[in-house]
Amino acid sequence: MARVKPRVKLPKKAVPGDVITVKTLISHPMESGQRTNRTTGETIPRKIINKFVATFEGEEIVTVDIDPAVAANPYFEFEMTVPGPGTIRFEWTDDDGVIYDLEKAIEAA
Amino acid sequence: MELTRRQSLAIGAGAVAVASLPVRSVAAQNDAAAVIAAFTGGVEPQEGGVEITAPEIAENGSSVPVAVSAPGARAILLVAPGNPNQRVATFNFGTLSASARARTRIRLAQSQELVAVARTDHGFVRASRMIEVVVGGCA
């Protein structure tokens, strides 16, 4: 399987209290469990990212419960209020239990 | 003509298949209703208060950009009644979320009316939006 690579885009700097837009993308096939292998006729088992969580210094920004109808390479965009300088942590949970994560520091002064 | 056991079984199976055809779309709607009921705890959501932004015509059903927004909402559920799995995603907005607004890309198996249900402090609201899908995406 292709390497799963998370990517996040957000402004490097912000003023405390600012509202910023955060864009996230992770490369993942999001195998829905609906497809069949044409040569063997077997159903390809479901394997998706089923949860996405973004937190700032442990405080929740957004949590997404994901079902197979989310497109491959799931993309999420949301807005957050920057309380001050700190680190935003992003976590994507795979069906197989693996958690892909990424941290982004934000300067706020 | 006398029917063999095999033939009569085949006819019976065919009849069952035909009978189950129209039932399937009704079942899909029921499933969507069940998905929404599970989210609202059985409360019937009010119309309005949620906005779905999506193309009217989606060329490629395997990736349709969709934005949902519901001022004051704690969570938004997205449902695609025409998909084999009706529940699409649930957005839960935390304390640092600046707006009850999110954007993602989804799969749509066929043309259908996409439904969004939002949980606010005052109850549940819903909205729907028809999307024509040119090529269905495997959902």
Side-chain angles (χ1 to χ4, degrees):
Chain A
M1 198 185 89
R3 202 161 60 92
V4 174
K5 188 185 172 199
R7 270 181 288 179
V8 169
K9 200 171 179 184
L10 76 174
K12 275 204 181 72
K13 285 183 185 173
V15 175
D18 263 6
V19 171
I20 61 167
T21 300
V22 182
K23 299 175 180 182
T24 73
L25 184 70
I26 186 164
S27 56
H28 192 284
M30 297 291 280
E31 195 57 65
S32 69
Q34 300 287 332
R35 299 200 306 152
T36 49
N37 182 323
R38 282 199 189 150
T39 47
T40 63
E42 286 169 6
T43 303
I44 303 171
R46 174 186 138 148
K47 189 178 186 295
I48 66 166
I49 300 275
N50 59 44
K51 202 177 185 75
F52 167 73
V53 183
T55 52
F56 178 89
E57 302 288 332
E59 203 169 338
E60 183 190 13
I61 306 164
V62 71
T63 302
V64 189
D65 298 315
I66 307 164
D67 292 283
V70 169
N73 305 328
Y75 171 81
F76 297 107
E77 181 186 320
F78 53 90
E79 291 170 333
M80 73 168 287
T81 308
V82 180
T87 305
I88 308 179
R89 184 176 169 78
F90 304 91
E91 286 184 355
W92 292 261
T93 309
D94 197 306
D95 271 347
D96 61 15
V98 175
I99 294 177
Y100 308 102
D101 62 351
L102 187 68
E103 287 189 351
K104 285 261 181 180
I106 186 154
E107 288 176 35
Chain B
M1 177 182 117
E2 279 213 6
L3 288 177
T4 63
R5 183 180 130 86
R6 183 167 293 186
Q7 282 168 330
S8 62
L9 277 176
I11 292 168
V16 168
V18 169
S20 64
L21 279 179
V23 176
R24 203 183 158 216
S25 64
V26 174
Q29 279 172 13
N30 288 344
D31 289 351
V35 166
I36 293 170
F39 178 73
T40 64
V43 177
E44 192 63 35
Q46 305 265 308
E47 202 64 42
V50 190
E51 201 182 334
I52 305 174
T53 311
E56 267 176 45
I57 297 173
E59 308 253 329
N60 178 5
S62 60
S63 183
V64 183
V66 173
V68 286
S69 145
R74 302 279 174 189
I76 300 179
L77 165 76
L78 206 51
V79 183
N83 276 10
N85 287 306
Q86 285 80 26
R87 203 173 56 184
V88 177
T90 313
F91 299 93
N92 300 288
F93 302 104
T95 45
L96 286 178
S97 173
S99 62
R101 187 181 303 173
R103 203 178 274 275
T104 186
R105 294 177 195 146
I106 67 171
R107 290 170 174 151
L108 294 173
Q110 56 184 338
S111 295
Q112 57 184 287
E113 196 146 339
L114 195 64
V115 180
V117 183
R119 187 176 72 232
T120 71
D121 289 339
H122 316 292
F124 295 93
V125 288
R126 62 162 276 162
S128 58
R129 188 187 160 93
M130 186 67 203
I131 300 176
E132 298 284 341
V133 177
V134 181
V135 181
C138 186

